[in-house]
Amino acid sequence: MKFFIDTANLADIREAYDLGVLDGVTTNPSLMAKEGISGDEKVRAHYKAICDIVDDKVSAEVISTDYEGMVKEGKELAKIDDKIVVKIPMIKDGLKALKYFQSEGIRTNCTLIFSAGQALLAAKAGASYVSPFIGRLDDISFDGMELIAQIVHIYGNYGFETEVLAASVRHSMHLLKCAEVGADVVTCPLKVITSLLNHPLTDSGLATFLADHAKAAGK
């Protein structure tokens, strides 16, 4: 399973990368705004700064919602760095854009997936990744994990190369359940990744080892 971090915060990205487990980054206009990044020039410079930290796979989202606009904007984003994956919304013109970018050899991430039908269309159109949103489905009393499992199953039936990128992952149980059902990627905040480090028996065991070492050393 690949671990992506869902943020535009450079410090968090560096920390996740330094852990040695980071495979990529996802961003969106909301995350950019959270970091106070606005204006095309500053946004693109920020994407480049992210690319300079990580090895590959930085999802950069288009703002346009029409085919021509998405193609123009996506091509500009792809020029920033070879690590860029163009993020396209799950809409009719988005499907057309996915097909275009596939023909041009530009990787894509189809975002705002909330049904298996949408994921099937995105895979047929040639998306590199699909991003089903677990947490947002949970918010409306639908089991987001059920959707992840359904998409993984469908893709397995037909050998689609599109990778399932579980998004809106809010806690460690989301992440672990994604691993259990076979999601290819999870994207989440840094705190979800680092939460996997925690276990009370690890803490108590280490404290015991250190105490015993100190006692044997006469400290």
Side-chain angles (χ1 to χ4, degrees):
M1 170 183 272
K2 300 181 184 74
F3 281 14
F4 290 4
I5 186 172
D6 192 36
T7 187
N9 184 280
L10 298 182
D12 281 357
I13 294 168
R14 287 192 190 96
E15 184 175 345
Y17 183 79
D18 289 344
L19 284 173
V21 299
L22 188 67
D23 299 291
V25 178
T26 56
T27 62
N28 58 47
S30 297
L31 292 172
M32 283 289 186
K34 186 177 179 180
E35 299 303 316
I37 311 297
S38 61
D40 288 348
E41 187 173 333
K42 288 183 179 179
V43 167
R44 288 173 190 167
H46 201 74
Y47 280 135
K48 180 58 179 173
I50 294 172
C51 289
D52 289 343
I53 296 171
V54 301
D55 296 330
D56 197 11
K57 307 179 189 74
V58 177
S59 286
E61 189 164 345
V62 300
I63 305 300
S64 300
T65 56
D66 63 285
Y67 172 75
E68 290 79 9
M70 282 186 276
V71 166
K72 179 181 178 181
E73 198 175 332
K75 288 167 72 174
E76 291 171 352
L77 290 171
K79 289 178 183 176
I80 295 172
D81 196 285
D82 290 341
K83 300 172 185 176
I84 291 291
V85 177
V86 179
K87 203 171 182 184
I88 301 292
M90 169 37 71
I91 54 177
K92 185 184 289 186
D93 277 11
L95 287 177
K96 298 176 184 178
L98 291 172
K99 193 66 176 178
Y100 170 82
F101 287 124
Q102 184 198 41
S103 71
E104 294 294 309
I106 295 173
R107 294 174 298 176
T108 53
N109 175 1
C110 187
T111 190
L112 295 172
I113 297 284
F114 292 99
S115 74
Q118 291 176 328
L120 182 58
L121 287 173
K124 291 283 290 180
S128 307
Y129 302 92
V130 292
S131 291
F133 281 50
I134 300 171
R136 294 195 192 184
L137 284 169
D138 288 352
D139 289 343
I140 60 167
S141 301
F142 184 89
D143 186 355
M145 287 310 313
E146 182 179 330
L147 175 61
I148 301 297
Q150 189 178 20
I151 296 170
V152 169
H153 179 74
I154 291 171
Y155 283 8
N157 282 346
Y158 301 102
F160 285 119
E161 295 182 2
T162 302
E163 294 189 45
V164 180
L165 194 169
S168 192
V169 172
R170 295 178 177 171
H171 46 71
S172 59
M173 287 308 299
H174 271 164
L175 192 157
L176 293 173
K177 287 294 184 182
C178 285
E180 286 182 2
V181 302
D184 300 288
V185 191
V186 291
T187 188
C188 54
L190 176 61
K191 66 180 181 180
V192 176
I193 296 174
T194 56
S195 71
L196 298 179
L197 290 164
N198 302 327
H199 197 285
L201 293 179
T202 301
D203 297 338
S204 63
L206 181 57
T208 298
F209 294 157
L210 293 176
D212 289 346
H213 172 75
K215 186 186 297 183
K219 294 181 181 180

